[in-house]
Amino acid sequence: MTSSDACEMRWPLRIRLLTVLLLALGLGAGRAAGKPSAADSLLCGGPSAVAAAPAEALSGLILTAFDRSAMWVLDVATGRRYPLPETLPCAGNCHLSPDLRSITYFNDATNAINRMRLNGTGRELVSAYANDVQWWAPGTFLIWTPGNGAYLQAEGSSDRQMLDVSGVSVVQPGGYRGLRITATDAGFVRELVDLTPGVMASAPIPLGPDVQYFDAGAWSPDGSRYAFAAPILDGTGAVAASDLFVIALGQGTMQRVTTLESTVGRARINGLSAGELSWSPDGTRIALWVTPLGEDPPEAPTRPATLYVVDVAARAATAYCGYASPVTTPNPPRLRWSPDGGHIAFAGVTADAERGWVVLARDVNSGVFAELSEGVYPAIGTAEVIAWGLPPG
């Protein structure tokens, strides 16, 4: 296996050699696929950039904020909206359950992490002493402590399975790999480390250099794959471009799934927050923002961001015209898939200052934007769609 087969990135020699060695140790007979041959496509939704949303075609519950006091529910089918008492607007610290019907949240009245159904019913305490609570698997929580420790705990149980998460920021859903950033003589690098309790850890799987604004990443819903943006470095070690890669742990493969280096040039995938890639509910596609940089520094782009959807199996990316986000830094709007995977919602800025931020949904098949609601409030510095899920079953 050659270094170009392994990861296709022009890294400094020391990192290239480390990558080849650890891929061999961590993936066994694994291989990395070559560059995708399909060119990026452009999908426009007709002459109108934003269309009225046909209520019968869209459903589910969206959580967002229409003031600073609480999270709000937006019933997509009816347009009805209402606040949820004892909640606060949140960004990355509210997490949908695997069945898309419940969410973890911070209870403002008790200063604890609770769970509730998306319509605000069925509230239960999860942890009175936690920084964050995520679903590790159906029926099991991953609980992060204020001291940056983590443990697994089944719903309704007090038993804990402690994990050694030293230096780890993200844990694999349903599995025992964690994302760790380490310092080397050549700079910071990312790797997936083995967290399996009680056994000798297998070798880390290297993901290459960690560079701010070029390190977005996320696990697939079932935890079988990790997608990550990676910088493409030139001969001097400077970032020449950025592309998206996917590693499949069970198959032992690492694939480059976009060709932004050749189609866009020097560009940024998403923003400063490292965990903002958005997988579709069925794990087949990834939504992201691409911001062309040209000669701009990554923290100060002058051009807006374009929405892309990447078909992982086909290794083909579709760019959507009709709306470009002027908000790019530190992060563009978070992208939230509809439960059926047919639309992507986000909070967008309009030219009408009185209407302010609106909830927009992009039909991934037709390319049409639909406006679902106006007046979204930037309660956490910017306006966000927190989640799009299902009502109680």
mmCIF file of all heavy atoms in Angstrom, residues 205-224:
data_model
loop_
_atom_site.group_PDB
_atom_site.id
_atom_site.type_symbol
_atom_site.label_atom_id
_atom_site.label_comp_id
_atom_site.label_asym_id
_atom_site.label_seq_id
_atom_site.Cartn_x
_atom_site.Cartn_y
_atom_site.Cartn_z
ATOM 1 N N ILE A 205 -5.615 4.975 14.723
ATOM 2 C CA ILE A 205 -5.786 5.147 13.280
ATOM 3 C C ILE A 205 -5.562 6.623 12.968
ATOM 4 O O ILE A 205 -6.329 7.473 13.405
ATOM 5 C CB ILE A 205 -7.194 4.728 12.833
ATOM 6 C CG1 ILE A 205 -7.457 3.271 13.205
ATOM 7 C CG2 ILE A 205 -7.362 4.943 11.329
ATOM 8 C CD1 ILE A 205 -8.898 2.845 12.988
ATOM 9 N N PRO A 206 -4.510 6.986 12.237
ATOM 10 C CA PRO A 206 -4.198 8.398 11.996
ATOM 11 C C PRO A 206 -5.116 9.007 10.946
ATOM 12 O O PRO A 206 -5.482 8.370 9.955
ATOM 13 C CB PRO A 206 -2.751 8.362 11.504
ATOM 14 C CG PRO A 206 -2.627 7.025 10.846
ATOM 15 C CD PRO A 206 -3.505 6.086 11.629
ATOM 16 N N LEU A 207 -5.485 10.264 11.169
ATOM 17 C CA LEU A 207 -6.316 11.014 10.235
ATOM 18 C C LEU A 207 -5.587 12.210 9.644
ATOM 19 O O LEU A 207 -6.189 13.007 8.923
ATOM 20 C CB LEU A 207 -7.600 11.487 10.929
ATOM 21 C CG LEU A 207 -8.476 10.412 11.570
ATOM 22 C CD1 LEU A 207 -9.729 11.044 12.177
ATOM 23 C CD2 LEU A 207 -8.853 9.332 10.574
ATOM 24 N N GLY A 208 -4.311 12.368 9.977
ATOM 25 C CA GLY A 208 -3.543 13.454 9.394
ATOM 26 C C GLY A 208 -3.522 14.711 10.232
ATOM 27 O O GLY A 208 -3.942 14.731 11.395
ATOM 28 N N PRO A 209 -3.051 15.823 9.661
ATOM 29 C CA PRO A 209 -2.874 17.064 10.412
ATOM 30 C C PRO A 209 -4.194 17.631 10.912
ATOM 31 O O PRO A 209 -5.237 17.491 10.264
ATOM 32 C CB PRO A 209 -2.242 18.019 9.383
ATOM 33 C CG PRO A 209 -1.720 17.142 8.312
ATOM 34 C CD PRO A 209 -2.593 15.944 8.274
ATOM 35 N N ASP A 210 -4.146 18.266 12.062
ATOM 36 C CA ASP A 210 -5.292 18.998 12.599
ATOM 37 C C ASP A 210 -5.005 20.489 12.435
ATOM 38 O O ASP A 210 -4.087 21.021 13.052
ATOM 39 C CB ASP A 210 -5.521 18.668 14.071
ATOM 40 C CG ASP A 210 -6.723 19.410 14.626
ATOM 41 O OD1 ASP A 210 -7.856 19.018 14.306
ATOM 42 O OD2 ASP A 210 -6.535 20.398 15.373
ATOM 43 N N VAL A 211 -5.793 21.146 11.577
ATOM 44 C CA VAL A 211 -5.608 22.564 11.274
ATOM 45 C C VAL A 211 -6.935 23.274 11.480
ATOM 46 O O VAL A 211 -7.965 22.838 10.947
ATOM 47 C CB VAL A 211 -5.127 22.770 9.820
ATOM 48 C CG1 VAL A 211 -4.935 24.255 9.524
ATOM 49 C CG2 VAL A 211 -3.832 21.996 9.572
ATOM 50 N N GLN A 212 -6.939 24.342 12.259
ATOM 51 C CA GLN A 212 -8.173 25.096 12.498
ATOM 52 C C GLN A 212 -8.844 25.498 11.194
ATOM 53 O O GLN A 212 -8.183 25.890 10.237
ATOM 54 C CB GLN A 212 -7.875 26.359 13.319
ATOM 55 C CG GLN A 212 -8.040 26.163 14.803
ATOM 56 C CD GLN A 212 -8.055 27.487 15.553
ATOM 57 O OE1 GLN A 212 -7.739 28.548 15.018
ATOM 58 N NE2 GLN A 212 -8.410 27.441 16.818
ATOM 59 N N TYR A 213 -10.172 25.387 11.170
ATOM 60 C CA TYR A 213 -11.015 25.674 10.011
ATOM 61 C C TYR A 213 -10.921 24.614 8.916
ATOM 62 O O TYR A 213 -11.586 24.710 7.898
ATOM 63 C CB TYR A 213 -10.724 27.056 9.413
ATOM 64 C CG TYR A 213 -11.238 28.189 10.261
ATOM 65 C CD1 TYR A 213 -10.362 28.966 11.015
ATOM 66 C CD2 TYR A 213 -12.598 28.498 10.299
ATOM 67 C CE1 TYR A 213 -10.834 30.021 11.796
ATOM 68 C CE2 TYR A 213 -13.073 29.535 11.076
ATOM 69 C CZ TYR A 213 -12.191 30.299 11.823
ATOM 70 O OH TYR A 213 -12.666 31.332 12.601
ATOM 71 N N PHE A 214 -10.089 23.585 9.134
ATOM 72 C CA PHE A 214 -9.984 22.500 8.152
ATOM 73 C C PHE A 214 -10.102 21.143 8.855
ATOM 74 O O PHE A 214 -9.474 20.172 8.443
ATOM 75 C CB PHE A 214 -8.656 22.588 7.393
ATOM 76 C CG PHE A 214 -8.487 23.855 6.599
ATOM 77 C CD1 PHE A 214 -7.839 24.949 7.136
ATOM 78 C CD2 PHE A 214 -8.998 23.958 5.314
ATOM 79 C CE1 PHE A 214 -7.686 26.132 6.415
ATOM 80 C CE2 PHE A 214 -8.855 25.127 4.583
ATOM 81 C CZ PHE A 214 -8.198 26.221 5.133
ATOM 82 N N ASP A 215 -10.919 21.067 9.915
ATOM 83 C CA ASP A 215 -10.951 19.837 10.706
ATOM 84 C C ASP A 215 -12.359 19.431 11.126
ATOM 85 O O ASP A 215 -12.540 18.788 12.160
ATOM 86 C CB ASP A 215 -10.060 19.978 11.937
ATOM 87 C CG ASP A 215 -10.470 21.151 12.840
ATOM 88 O OD1 ASP A 215 -11.389 21.907 12.464
ATOM 89 O OD2 ASP A 215 -9.865 21.300 13.919
ATOM 90 N N ALA A 216 -13.379 19.773 10.328
ATOM 91 C CA ALA A 216 -14.735 19.326 10.640
ATOM 92 C C ALA A 216 -14.797 17.808 10.581
ATOM 93 O O ALA A 216 -14.084 17.167 9.807
ATOM 94 C CB ALA A 216 -15.740 19.935 9.654
ATOM 95 N N GLY A 217 -15.678 17.227 11.397
ATOM 96 C CA GLY A 217 -15.796 15.771 11.397
ATOM 97 C C GLY A 217 -17.054 15.325 12.106
ATOM 98 O O GLY A 217 -17.636 16.076 12.901
ATOM 99 N N ALA A 218 -17.508 14.100 11.850
ATOM 100 C CA ALA A 218 -18.685 13.554 12.530
ATOM 101 C C ALA A 218 -18.790 12.060 12.257
ATOM 102 O O ALA A 218 -18.453 11.584 11.162
ATOM 103 C CB ALA A 218 -19.965 14.249 12.068
ATOM 104 N N TRP A 219 -19.282 11.323 13.254
ATOM 105 C CA TRP A 219 -19.584 9.912 13.090
ATOM 106 C C TRP A 219 -20.907 9.744 12.362
ATOM 107 O O TRP A 219 -21.834 10.537 12.523
ATOM 108 C CB TRP A 219 -19.676 9.229 14.451
ATOM 109 C CG TRP A 219 -18.364 9.053 15.153
ATOM 110 C CD1 TRP A 219 -17.854 9.843 16.145
ATOM 111 C CD2 TRP A 219 -17.393 8.027 14.918
ATOM 112 N NE1 TRP A 219 -16.631 9.375 16.543
ATOM 113 C CE2 TRP A 219 -16.321 8.254 15.806
ATOM 114 C CE3 TRP A 219 -17.341 6.943 14.040
ATOM 115 C CZ2 TRP A 219 -15.203 7.433 15.843
ATOM 116 C CZ3 TRP A 219 -16.226 6.112 14.076
ATOM 117 C CH2 TRP A 219 -15.162 6.364 14.970
ATOM 118 N N SER A 220 -21.012 8.683 11.581
ATOM 119 C CA SER A 220 -22.289 8.333 10.966
ATOM 120 C C SER A 220 -23.274 7.944 12.063
ATOM 121 O O SER A 220 -22.868 7.601 13.183
ATOM 122 C CB SER A 220 -22.105 7.182 9.978
ATOM 123 O OG SER A 220 -21.632 6.021 10.648
ATOM 124 N N PRO A 221 -24.588 7.988 11.794
ATOM 125 C CA PRO A 221 -25.567 7.680 12.846
ATOM 126 C C PRO A 221 -25.359 6.320 13.505
ATOM 127 O O PRO A 221 -25.588 6.178 14.712
ATOM 128 C CB PRO A 221 -26.905 7.752 12.103
ATOM 129 C CG PRO A 221 -26.663 8.710 10.982
ATOM 130 C CD PRO A 221 -25.250 8.458 10.552
ATOM 131 N N ASP A 222 -24.929 5.318 12.737
ATOM 132 C CA ASP A 222 -24.734 3.993 13.327
ATOM 133 C C ASP A 222 -23.328 3.785 13.868
ATOM 134 O O ASP A 222 -23.010 2.706 14.392
ATOM 135 C CB ASP A 222 -25.070 2.897 12.311
ATOM 136 C CG ASP A 222 -24.116 2.887 11.106
ATOM 137 O OD1 ASP A 222 -23.212 3.749 11.043
ATOM 138 O OD2 ASP A 222 -24.296 2.025 10.231
ATOM 139 N N GLY A 223 -22.475 4.797 13.763
ATOM 140 C CA GLY A 223 -21.129 4.704 14.315
ATOM 141 C C GLY A 223 -20.153 3.875 13.510
ATOM 142 O O GLY A 223 -19.018 3.673 13.943
ATOM 143 N N SER A 224 -20.539 3.409 12.326
ATOM 144 C CA SER A 224 -19.655 2.537 11.555
ATOM 145 C C SER A 224 -18.603 3.303 10.759
ATOM 146 O O SER A 224 -17.596 2.722 10.343
ATOM 147 C CB SER A 224 -20.475 1.670 10.601
ATOM 148 O OG SER A 224 -21.121 2.475 9.617
#
